[in-house]
Amino acid sequence: INVTSSKNLMKKSRDNLAYMYIRMRRGRREYFIKKFPRNSLVNYEKKAVYMSHEKHTNRLVKEVSPYLLQHAHNPVDWFPWGVEAFEKSKRENKPLLLSIGYSACHWCHVMEKESFENEEIAQIMNKHFISVKVDREERPDIDSIYMQCVQMLTGQGGWPTTLFLTPDGVPFHGGTYFPPEDRQGSPGFKRVLLSIAEIYHRNPKQVQQNTEAVLQNLRGLSQLKQSQEGLSEKILEIAFRKLSQNFDYRHGGFGSAPKFPNPMVLSYLLRYYLRSKNKGCLEMVELSLKSMAEGGIYDQIGGGFHRYSVDDRWLVPHFEKMLYDNALLVPVYLDAYLVTKNPSYEKIVVETLDYVIREMTGTYGEFFSTQDADSEGEEGKYYVWTSREIKSILGEKDAGIFCRFYGVTEAGNFEGKNILTSARTYEQIARQLETTTDKVESVIVEARRKIKEARELRIKPDRDEKALANWNGLMLSAFSRAARVLGRSDYLRIAEQNANFILNYLCQGERLLHACKDGQAKLNAYLDDYACIIDSFIEVYQSTFDSKWLKKASAMADVMIDLFWDEETGAFFYTAKDHEKLITRLKDFQDNAIPAGNSIAATDLLRLAEITDREDFRSKAETIFKILHEMVGKYPSGFGQLLCGLDFYFDSPREIVLVGGKEDPAIESFRRIIFDHYSPNQIVILDECKDNEIRELVPLVKGKNLIDGKPAVYVCEKFTCRRPVTTAEELESLLN
């Protein structure tokens, strides 16, 4: 039990004695202990210690993962992933029960409450199985392998993931969420446990057949070979056509419910719009971005996006907030702003990044991982409102305007309450109420402030405060890009703090570590950790022009190749060559919630090839493209990031060299013009004529000097360099 004082609230009783109100927490349950006399704090401490031993404690209590700690007091005899569990499984001839989830997962919490806190079910688990709990965010290597397995065994996947393994770690049965008892056609967990235990001991032949089939299929996943056909730009058009066939032209996004934002695909469509001038691309992107920004998937009061929408119109979200969703959506809204100059896109960028600063940034400069969907045991409780609550906060008159604007009704749109949406404009509300637009806007702005203050008094969803390298890299890239596009020095400061956190805490010599919590980093990094950090360091350089970030990105790319590249068939493995031996070594090809490791690594190598003129970087990116060429054409929605890389590959990237002092006003005006254009396939380098490091690293700057003592801009494109320019007007004309 974790014992914490709830802000050490003190109250005075009638007899003038002070009392402390204590909140005690076990897993996801809270207990409120009132009226401890202040002068008998020793008694409080004794009772707290007594309560802490009153409930079960298992091995997970020694872990640092918030998700694992949530299960540290289950009556289940949990093991963390490791040698101890596998040796015990072999010694006692018991199958392993592997349970994978993460701290913001609603159904993971449901299964914990229903099954893992159930004494009867826990006894069955402890008697017949060796139970292992894994945080998928800490161990994406384990999650990736066993998610593939559960999909093979059941045809579907998701979290919580529940698998039954032999002592060698190979699964023979599995599923996702199981109710405690038989329910709506789903077998109860108790019945499943007893059946699996019986099968394991009485039918070993069936177990062996299942494990052999799983292993064979797993090994085939990483054996893709290079396409014999040459790479062709036609793949970009084929991808667009297939994506447009699956597009929802009514509500935006792709497919039906549940609907995910899919930011990598939207990024590709913006690139294809620039390439093809096909207005349909831009219309698809704008409809999607507008619908999401106006829907319940976006937090209308606090900013930031929830994980996904359970319906097809973006109304009801799954309320958890993930760092990576927001990190990937910010650049898409930023690019849409550059293309259209629509201020509503800029507003979403600012509100989302301000939310990250306020709620998801730690004292070391790290970005936290997630916020739960639940608060006080209820999904979405922190975010939803009744009309009565709003009237009590705003008063009748202002509440009427607020409720019209955000679609609040007495009946509600979510279990009798209201998820706020903003599909209406100030002008529409003004016409309905026969008032001015300015009046409506002023009321809404002030009302949002009051509602936000009122929401702050609620119990917030739990926050997973571990920092993951790949997710931090994605958000670092978002802050770096927003800083230079919007001219926000505060965003640049946040970006630099995070970049230094990565250097100081996640970099260990030449190696990168995957996770850090409370300043303690652990676990060797995976492919997407390296790829996302390399990308972010390139972005930090573009915003700071500090050459150390380019140097570190290039050096990290060499380490990535050494640790992960497959010399036999090409492409990168997900785990390093000296990683813990698992049942297979997979390659990460397809985008999921974040870009696939191979896709973002290929894009990194192409960008670094342009900067450093390293042909080995370019050839490895080409190899990845050739391996995935056929799959991209068939399933473009799973390869949005790779399509962005292919767009870069088939383009002739624009190379821009600024020559002059970083603080020179002319250089600053050049920067503003350059970054005010949507040009995703460009590299911008600054040569201050005194930085030998940049001249050694970037052959592109050689021979480029000041013009008549003035700062100059050199633009090269399609293997041709334009005449250097020295004025803002000339540069604007040249870029246009």
Side-chain angles (χ1 to χ4, degrees):
I1 293 178
N2 300 318
V3 184
T4 59
S5 82
S6 187
K7 296 186 178 178
N8 289 331
L9 294 177
M10 304 296 295
K11 295 219 174 181
K12 296 248 178 161
S13 68
R14 288 178 183 171
D15 55 1
N16 209 31
L17 289 175
Y19 294 98
M20 182 179 288
Y21 283 62
I22 303 298
R23 181 176 71 180
M24 305 190 70
R25 184 160 185 173
R26 184 174 78 81
R28 303 191 59 75
R29 294 184 180 177
E30 293 182 344
Y31 304 87
F32 291 87
I33 306 167
K34 300 184 179 179
K35 285 200 172 182
F36 276 103
R38 179 67 174 173
N39 58 5
S40 63
L41 188 57
V42 173
N43 293 332
Y44 146 69
E45 290 173 339
K46 285 180 180 177
K47 183 164 184 179
V49 170
Y50 169 74
M51 288 186 68
S52 70
H53 291 288
E54 195 175 27
K55 295 291 181 179
H56 306 275
T57 301
N58 57 55
R59 295 168 186 79
L60 300 185
V61 76
K62 297 179 181 179
E63 297 298 307
V64 298
S65 158
Y67 176 67
L68 298 185
L69 289 172
Q70 287 166 7
H71 295 77
H73 302 286
N74 296 159
V76 177
D77 188 20
W78 288 116
F79 286 76
W81 180 274
V83 173
E84 185 184 1
F86 284 89
E87 287 182 346
K88 187 175 175 68
S89 172
K90 289 176 183 177
R91 189 169 60 249
E92 298 182 7
N93 190 28
K94 290 181 180 179
L96 292 128
L97 190 162
L98 176 62
S99 176
I100 305 174
Y102 58 102
S103 67
C105 168
H106 171 71
W107 287 102
C108 299
H109 302 323
V110 171
M111 192 164 177
E112 181 201 7
K113 183 179 178 181
E114 291 178 340
S115 295
F116 303 148
E117 289 186 352
N118 182 302
E119 296 280 353
E120 183 185 359
I121 291 176
Q123 285 180 13
I124 296 171
M125 292 172 68
N126 295 341
K127 181 180 179 180
H128 296 288
F129 300 92
I130 306 302
S131 300
V132 177
K133 177 61 75 172
V134 168
D135 180 344
R136 68 170 290 259
E137 294 168 358
E138 268 197 344
R139 294 299 304 265
D141 54 334
I142 296 169
D143 177 62
S144 177
I145 289 171
Y146 289 104
M147 180 57 70
Q148 297 279 3
C149 293
V150 80
Q151 288 172 338
M152 291 173 191
L153 290 166
T154 69
Q156 61 183 11
W159 298 277
T161 304
T162 309
L163 282 159
F164 300 92
L165 320 179
T166 66
D168 294 325
V170 185
F172 60 92
H173 187 76
T176 53
Y177 162 78
F178 290 100
E181 305 289 347
D182 294 0
R183 185 190 300 163
Q184 296 176 343
S186 296
F189 196 45
K190 192 189 325 181
R191 184 157 68 90
V192 169
L193 291 171
L194 294 172
S195 298
I196 294 299
E198 184 176 3
I199 289 170
Y200 180 77
H201 291 289
R202 294 194 177 183
N203 198 346
K205 188 174 181 181
Q206 180 185 340
V207 171
Q208 183 180 359
Q209 287 174 345
N210 285 4
T211 57
E212 287 175 354
V214 166
L215 278 177
Q216 184 177 354
N217 287 329
L218 271 180
R219 288 165 182 155
L221 292 175
S222 297
Q223 300 303 314
L224 298 178
K225 296 182 179 179
Q226 295 186 40
S227 171
Q228 298 303 311
E229 300 178 14
L231 294 173
S232 168
E233 283 187 57
K234 287 183 179 179
I235 194 69
L236 301 178
E237 183 185 350
I238 292 169
F240 164 67
R241 286 205 309 267
K242 289 202 171 183
L243 291 170
S244 62
Q245 290 168 5
N246 193 36
F247 186 73
D248 180 350
Y249 287 92
R250 184 176 181 186
H251 301 296
F254 299 88
S256 56
K259 191 175 281 185
F260 292 81
N262 214 334
M264 289 81 80
V265 169
L266 295 177
S267 290
Y268 169 67
L269 289 175
L270 276 176
R271 286 169 171 264
Y272 193 69
Y273 167 69
L274 187 67
R275 170 182 290 273
S276 67
K277 301 299 183 288
N278 185 326
K279 290 184 179 179
C281 294
L282 184 59
E283 289 168 359
M284 291 163 69
V285 172
E286 288 213 82
L287 177 58
S288 301
L289 297 184
K290 182 175 182 291
S291 299
M292 286 191 290
E294 292 174 350
I297 193 174
Y298 183 70
D299 181 355
Q300 303 293 334
I301 298 301
F305 289 87
H306 298 292
R307 179 70 192 94
Y308 63 87
S309 174
V310 302
D311 55 71
D312 64 352
R313 55 197 178 105
W314 309 106
L315 171 62
V316 180
H318 188 42
F319 287 94
E320 64 193 21
K321 282 184 176 179
M322 314 298 290
L323 184 72
Y324 56 74
D325 286 317
N326 291 283
L328 291 164
L329 282 165
V330 162
V332 183
Y333 278 89
L334 203 58
D335 287 343
Y337 168 69
L338 287 175
V339 172
T340 66
K341 294 298 188 264
N342 184 336
S344 67
Y345 298 142
E346 180 185 8
K347 173 177 173 288
I348 297 298
V349 169
V350 170
E351 288 179 355
T352 300
L353 292 182
D354 287 353
Y355 151 73
V356 173
I357 294 171
R358 187 178 67 250
E359 300 284 351
M360 301 292 281
T361 304
T363 55
Y364 301 98
E366 77 275 35
F367 298 127
F368 299 141
S369 295
T370 65
Q371 281 185 312
D372 272 14
D374 304 3
S375 55
E376 300 181 75
E378 245 180 81
E379 185 177 10
K381 184 173 182 179
Y382 183 72
Y383 300 101
V384 297
W385 302 87
T386 64
S387 60
R388 180 182 295 181
E389 287 173 322
I390 290 170
K391 288 173 185 175
S392 70
I393 297 166
L394 302 180
E396 195 76 32
K397 186 176 180 181
D398 287 355
I401 296 175
F402 181 91
C403 290
R404 278 179 181 263
F405 186 80
Y406 285 109
V408 175
T409 64
E410 291 286 341
N413 56 22
F414 176 70
E415 299 177 356
K417 296 183 179 180
N418 291 273
I419 300 167
L420 303 185
T421 62
S422 61
R424 295 140 295 275
T425 66
Y426 295 143
E427 292 80 5
Q428 288 171 331
I429 303 300
R431 283 197 300 271
Q432 292 171 12
L433 299 177
E434 297 181 348
T435 186
T436 65
T437 301
D438 289 344
K439 170 66 175 174
V440 172
E441 183 175 2
S442 66
V443 168
I444 294 298
V445 169
E446 179 62 13
R448 282 186 76 225
R449 184 187 66 78
K450 290 179 179 178
I451 294 292
K452 188 175 180 181
E453 286 179 355
R455 197 173 80 170
E456 285 293 308
L457 299 176
R458 294 177 170 181
I459 295 176
K460 290 188 175 184
D462 281 352
R463 181 173 64 192
D464 187 331
E465 295 187 355
K466 68 176 177 289
L468 302 176
N470 49 355
W471 299 6
N472 270 248
L474 292 171
M475 186 55 78
L476 174 54
S477 293
F479 268 101
S480 299
R481 290 203 59 224
R484 64 177 182 262
V485 171
L486 304 181
R488 292 286 296 261
S489 59
D490 54 337
Y491 290 169
L492 184 58
R493 184 172 64 254
I494 294 293
E496 290 181 298
Q497 287 173 359
N498 183 254
N500 285 314
F501 158 76
I502 291 168
L503 286 185
N504 296 332
Y505 290 92
L506 295 179
C507 289
Q508 192 174 74
E510 292 185 340
R511 300 291 290 262
L512 190 62
L513 298 178
H514 173 64
C516 180
K517 188 173 184 295
D518 300 326
Q520 300 298 312
K522 65 174 188 174
L523 302 172
N524 285 334
Y526 307 101
L527 172 63
D528 54 358
D529 291 318
Y530 280 86
C532 290
I533 296 299
I534 291 167
D535 175 76
S536 69
F537 282 178
I538 297 172
E539 293 294 341
V540 173
Y541 171 76
Q542 299 274 279
S543 296
T544 63
F545 290 135
D546 185 340
S547 60
K548 79 174 181 181
W549 300 112
L550 269 189
K551 188 175 181 182
K552 290 184 181 299
S554 182
M556 196 173 284
D558 284 324
V559 174
M560 179 175 72
I561 291 169
D562 177 57
L563 293 175
F564 298 93
W565 187 256
D566 181 356
E567 294 291 351
E568 291 185 16
T569 60
F572 292 101
F573 287 108
Y574 187 67
T575 52
K577 60 186 180 183
D578 57 357
H579 190 75
E580 168 193 356
K581 189 175 181 181
L582 301 173
I583 59 173
T584 191
R585 193 180 178 199
L586 290 180
K587 292 177 180 175
D588 182 22
F589 286 135
Q590 193 164 348
D591 295 338
N592 287 299
I594 66 172
N598 269 284
S599 297
I600 197 164
T603 309
D604 290 342
L605 294 177
L606 284 180
R607 296 176 77 190
L608 287 171
E610 288 295 322
I611 294 168
T612 64
D613 203 24
R614 290 268 302 268
E615 190 56 39
D616 57 325
F617 285 169
R618 187 176 286 105
S619 67
K620 283 182 168 55
E622 285 179 346
T623 298
I624 293 170
F625 293 149
K626 288 175 182 177
I627 289 173
L628 296 177
H629 186 267
E630 187 175 336
M631 291 182 68
V632 173
K634 291 179 179 178
Y635 315 109
S637 60
F639 295 92
Q641 180 62 45
L642 195 83
L643 285 164
C644 291
L646 283 166
D647 178 70
F648 189 104
Y649 176 76
F650 289 122
D651 200 1
S652 175
R654 178 183 285 167
E655 302 160 341
I656 300 177
V657 176
L658 305 177
V659 181
K662 191 185 299 185
E663 306 301 327
D664 193 301
I667 293 294
E668 182 56 33
S669 67
F670 294 152
R671 282 169 54 115
R672 283 198 300 270
I673 291 168
I674 291 167
F675 295 128
D676 193 47
H677 288 71
Y678 175 60
S679 184
N681 299 334
Q682 75 177 11
I683 299 294
V684 185
I685 304 292
L686 174 70
D687 182 10
E688 294 193 271
C689 304
K690 60 181 181 182
D691 188 350
N692 291 328
E693 213 171 52
I694 201 72
R695 293 192 168 194
E696 290 174 8
L697 186 64
V698 186
L700 185 64
V701 305
K702 292 177 182 176
K704 296 177 173 61
N705 301 299
L706 299 170
I707 303 296
D708 297 329
K710 297 178 182 178
V713 185
Y714 294 78
V715 179
C716 299
E717 199 170 12
K718 297 180 180 177
F719 310 106
T720 302
C721 290
R722 307 286 186 179
R723 179 178 59 83
V725 297
T726 57
T727 68
E729 294 76 17
E730 289 176 308
L731 178 60
E732 183 76 55
S733 175
L734 181 59
L735 295 183
N736 285 336

